[in-house]
Amino acid sequence: MSIIVTPAVLNIRPYIVCCLVKNLNFNKNNAFKKFIALQTKFHDTICDKRQAATIATHDMNLVKSPLTYDAKVPSHIKITPLFAKEELTAQSLVANLRREADEIRKEKKRNKLSGIHKYLDLLHEKPEYPCLVDKEGCVISFPPITNSDKTKISKDTTSLLIEVTSSRSLHICKEVMDTLLQEMLNMGIGERLSGKKAETPGSEPEESNTNDKYKITVQQVNVINQDNSLRVVYPSRTDLNSDLIQVTYDCDE
């Protein structure tokens, strides 16, 4: 799988790393809620409140590839935000969020915001906003604010597209992705290797125990320029160092 990067986004938020994670099972031990909580924790810690990087996850079965990482003026980006039913322009979405933030400040008489509102300053004075667009022209991600409800993950998701973007460095993207994949492995949401009998992805499992071992299967994603020259591939053969993270490389397909 490849993601095309346009010249427009290089001056806005130039760094992106993606991969596919397959054969997942969120139907055990409250795993789905724990995974969502993990993303929130990462945004506040290793991602430095999304100032260093932003994570977006998509149900790969709902993604229509190939994908393009682009930047557009806010009025030209249309997205159905997470948990919303109506499509909005990025301009309208940000304006609505700013109004909500002002109301929260007045109501609670404090400047500190929570949730999505605390990330609005990351877009201050940006002439264009970054976005990840599918083959039909639909925006599935608007970092660092939200991704689309159309590709939203659920506890029934078995295959993830994970996207990490940054305005700072490629190294940060890789570091965040490495750490996230390791934590997913530790959560035991991949394929069971030992302990009780193997599970079918998406099925209701037996209760796990501390002796169970799991693996996760990661498929490589190439990020390329419009002339097909390679920008970055993740994971490369030098990324990740766990025997329990099985990588499918592009040449293996």
Side-chain angles (χ1 to χ4, degrees):
M1 180 178 179
S2 296
I3 293 176
I4 300 169
V5 174
T6 71
V9 79
L10 298 182
N11 292 324
I12 304 296
R13 193 178 184 87
Y15 306 106
I16 181 170
V17 163
C18 297
C19 68
L20 304 180
V21 187
K22 299 181 175 181
N23 303 324
L24 297 173
N25 193 336
F26 289 114
N27 284 298
K28 56 182 174 183
N29 301 331
N30 218 18
F32 183 70
K33 287 186 178 179
K34 290 178 181 177
F35 180 67
I36 298 300
L38 178 66
Q39 288 185 72
T40 301
K41 176 185 175 182
F42 271 35
H43 276 145
D44 284 339
T45 55
I46 190 172
C47 294
D48 190 17
K49 300 188 184 301
R50 301 199 193 189
Q51 294 187 64
T54 302
I55 302 165
T57 52
H58 309 270
D59 188 323
M60 190 56 202
N61 290 328
L62 302 176
V63 173
K64 299 175 181 178
S65 58
L67 303 176
T68 301
Y69 185 49
D70 199 2
K72 301 180 181 182
V73 295
S75 60
H76 290 178
I77 295 175
K78 294 182 178 180
I79 187 170
T80 304
L82 277 176
F83 310 112
K85 294 182 179 180
E86 295 183 358
E87 187 178 70
L88 295 171
T89 65
Q91 183 179 41
S92 296
L93 174 60
V94 171
N96 291 345
L97 291 172
R98 290 194 191 282
R99 280 194 295 271
E100 290 175 7
D102 288 340
E103 290 171 2
I104 291 170
R105 288 190 185 98
K106 291 176 183 177
E107 180 182 344
K108 298 189 176 181
K109 297 182 180 180
R110 58 183 172 85
N111 288 324
K112 188 175 181 180
L113 296 169
S114 61
I116 196 172
H117 302 93
K118 62 186 177 183
Y119 305 123
L120 290 172
D121 285 346
L122 299 177
L123 297 174
H124 184 59
E125 294 185 346
K126 297 286 187 185
E128 296 180 315
Y129 293 162
C131 55
L132 190 62
V133 185
D134 72 9
K135 74 173 184 179
E136 295 182 349
C138 295
V139 175
I140 67 169
S141 182
F142 167 27
I145 300 300
T146 187
N147 45 303
S148 173
D149 195 72
K150 294 180 179 179
T151 56
K152 178 177 63 182
I153 68 172
S154 71
K155 68 177 183 178
D156 297 319
T157 297
T158 59
S159 183
L160 281 183
L161 169 65
I162 304 179
E163 152 210 343
V164 180
T165 61
S166 174
S167 59
R168 291 187 182 176
S169 75
L170 183 62
H171 172 75
I172 290 173
C173 290
K174 286 194 169 191
E175 181 182 18
V176 170
M177 188 73 86
D178 287 351
T179 310
L180 178 60
L181 291 174
Q182 185 61 52
E183 286 300 313
M184 290 172 67
L185 178 63
N186 295 342
M187 287 175 64
I189 58 176
E191 297 173 86
R192 185 180 291 173
L193 293 177
S194 63
K196 299 178 182 178
K197 65 180 181 180
E199 302 160 1
T200 301
S203 66
E204 289 288 345
E206 301 176 31
E207 187 176 346
S208 61
N209 63 59
T210 56
N211 295 321
D212 291 341
K213 283 190 175 182
Y214 295 84
K215 73 171 182 178
I216 58 173
T217 302
V218 180
Q219 181 178 326
Q220 192 178 61
V221 173
N222 297 321
V223 176
I224 61 175
N225 294 307
Q226 286 183 318
D227 64 1
N228 287 326
S229 59
L230 184 66
R231 291 186 63 81
V232 62
V233 58
Y234 186 91
S236 69
R237 295 187 184 274
T238 58
D239 294 318
L240 305 174
N241 58 5
S242 173
D243 292 337
L244 298 178
I245 299 178
Q246 178 179 314
V247 180
T248 301
Y249 297 101
D250 194 48
C251 60
D252 297 334
E253 290 295 295

